[in-house]
């Protein structure tokens, strides 16, 4: 018998343990539980290293508390010291690190906007927490066949959100394309959460030059804050600079001019 390995991720211990126990009663399901995003990432990494990868991740939509506007918080690395990684950000991180793992978001209420965000992040399904065990098992087995599962009542709203997001993405991509290569590099540093001094050190520029680049980025993108610039960059598909890889420094500043 081929067994399905499931990881339940929910910071409500009673719910997580109850759901894990119910799933474990199925003859073809092996299940574990994690109480936070960082704990889930550690479970996934450990399982992969031991050659027993998880097949499906069941993620609480409100993991770590609700995120303003339902947007992913930050690119997932290891989570912060308090273990706060919201559910949709966790989906993003898992999709990037272990794309073969299917993720299903468990939500207390139907929310077309957040469901659309979850699908864009790489989730294969959005399921109500109060659904039946049979329904949840159907979804788990379905996503392993590359199916996407949504409650019928959400379908129209999710399609509307995805269509609107596609329009916003097209406009955002056009604005990002107006940036110079150096400005795009600075924008990627901003997406990674680097401040002016850190960007200057990474790109071998003076803080004054970095400030000028950042001002140019905000002006060309038509926004008034770094947070707004980062949100627009994400819509355009601009990812963060890889902080684990040093900058090549192939563009340097000489005498106040870029070479």
């Amino acid at each position: 018998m081929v067994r399905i390995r499931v990881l339940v991720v929910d910071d409500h211990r009673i719910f997580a343990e109850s759901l894990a126990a119910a799933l474990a009663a199925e003859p073809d399901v092996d299940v574990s539980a994690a109480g936070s995003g960082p704990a889930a990432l550690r479970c996934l990494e450990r399982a992969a290293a031991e050659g027993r990868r998880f097949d499906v991740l069941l993620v609480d939509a409100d993991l770590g508390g609700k995120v303003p506007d339902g947007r992913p918080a930050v690119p997932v690395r290891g989570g912060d010291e308090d273990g706060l990684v919201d559910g949709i950000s966790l989906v993003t991180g898992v999709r990037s690190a272990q794309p073969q793992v299917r993720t299903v978001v468990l939500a207390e209420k139907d929310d077309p906007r957040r469901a659309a965000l979850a699908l864009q992040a790489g989730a294969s399904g959005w399921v109500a927490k109060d659904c039946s065990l049979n329904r949840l098992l159907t979804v788990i087995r379905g996503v392993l066949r590359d199916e996407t599962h949504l409650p019928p009542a959400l379908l129209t709203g999710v399609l509307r959100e995805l269509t609107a997001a596609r329009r916003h993405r097209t406009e955002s991509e056009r604005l990002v394309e107006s940036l110079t290569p150096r400005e795009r590099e600075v924008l990627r540093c901003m997406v990674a959460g680097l401040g002016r001094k850190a960007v200057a050190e990474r790109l071998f520029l003076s803080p004054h030059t970095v400030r000028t680049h950042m001002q140019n980025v905000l002006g060309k993108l038509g926004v008034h804050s770094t947070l707004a610039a980062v949100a627009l960059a994400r819509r355009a598909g601009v990812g963060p600079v890889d902080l684990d890889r040093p900058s090549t420094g192939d563009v340097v500043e000489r005498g106040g001019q870029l070479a």
Side-chain angles (χ1 to χ4, degrees):
M1 179 185 298
V2 177
R3 301 183 69 80
I4 304 170
R5 302 202 67 235
V6 177
L7 179 61
V8 178
V9 188
D10 198 299
D11 49 12
H12 292 84
R13 184 181 297 275
I14 293 177
F15 175 83
E17 292 179 351
S18 299
L19 179 56
L23 291 171
E26 296 296 313
D28 62 340
V29 177
D30 287 331
V31 62
S32 300
S36 69
L41 293 172
R42 289 192 294 270
C43 285
L44 289 167
E45 291 170 358
R46 185 166 57 248
E50 295 172 355
R52 50 183 187 86
R53 293 179 182 273
F54 285 97
D55 300 302
V56 178
L57 205 68
L58 302 180
V59 182
D60 176 20
D62 293 325
L63 185 68
K66 294 183 179 180
V67 178
D69 298 326
R71 295 182 181 279
V74 294
V76 173
R77 299 181 69 81
D80 65 21
E81 294 178 355
D82 296 323
L84 297 180
V85 172
D86 70 276
I88 295 177
S89 288
L90 180 60
V91 171
T92 302
V94 172
R95 180 68 174 176
S96 175
Q98 298 192 28
Q100 76 286 347
V101 178
R102 302 294 186 267
T103 56
V104 176
V105 176
L106 304 178
E108 291 187 359
K109 63 179 182 179
D110 287 345
D111 185 331
R113 187 167 183 273
R114 296 192 71 203
L117 285 170
L119 293 183
Q120 289 174 309
S124 297
W126 177 281
V127 181
K129 280 190 170 184
D130 60 358
C131 74
S132 68
L133 182 61
N134 284 339
R135 168 62 181 163
L136 183 57
L137 288 167
T138 296
V139 172
I140 289 172
R141 295 185 172 109
V143 298
L144 289 175
R145 296 191 296 268
D146 290 327
E147 298 173 359
T148 299
H149 284 257
L150 285 170
L154 272 183
L155 186 57
T156 299
V158 168
L159 289 176
R160 185 182 302 115
E161 291 290 339
L162 291 175
T163 299
R166 190 174 298 113
R167 281 200 305 271
H168 290 314
R169 182 183 178 94
T170 300
E171 174 64 14
S172 299
E173 288 174 341
R174 184 185 66 77
L175 291 171
V176 168
E177 287 173 358
S178 71
L179 303 179
T180 66
R182 175 58 91 195
E183 289 166 350
R184 283 196 290 271
E185 192 170 10
V186 169
L187 179 59
R188 292 186 64 214
C189 289
M190 294 163 66
V191 173
L194 299 182
R196 187 190 308 166
K197 182 178 179 181
V199 175
E201 292 174 351
R202 180 175 182 82
L203 301 183
F204 308 104
L205 301 173
S206 72
H208 174 76
T209 299
V210 170
R211 182 178 65 180
T212 299
H213 284 314
M214 286 183 166
Q215 290 173 341
N216 289 340
V217 167
L218 297 183
K220 289 183 178 181
L221 298 184
V223 296
H224 301 287
S225 70
T226 297
L227 288 177
V230 169
L232 187 149
R234 287 177 178 164
R235 288 198 300 270
V238 176
V241 67
D242 187 351
L243 298 179
D244 293 327
R245 296 181 60 185
S247 174
T248 60
D250 54 349
V251 181
V252 299
E253 186 182 23
R254 298 196 182 110
Q257 299 296 321
L258 292 181

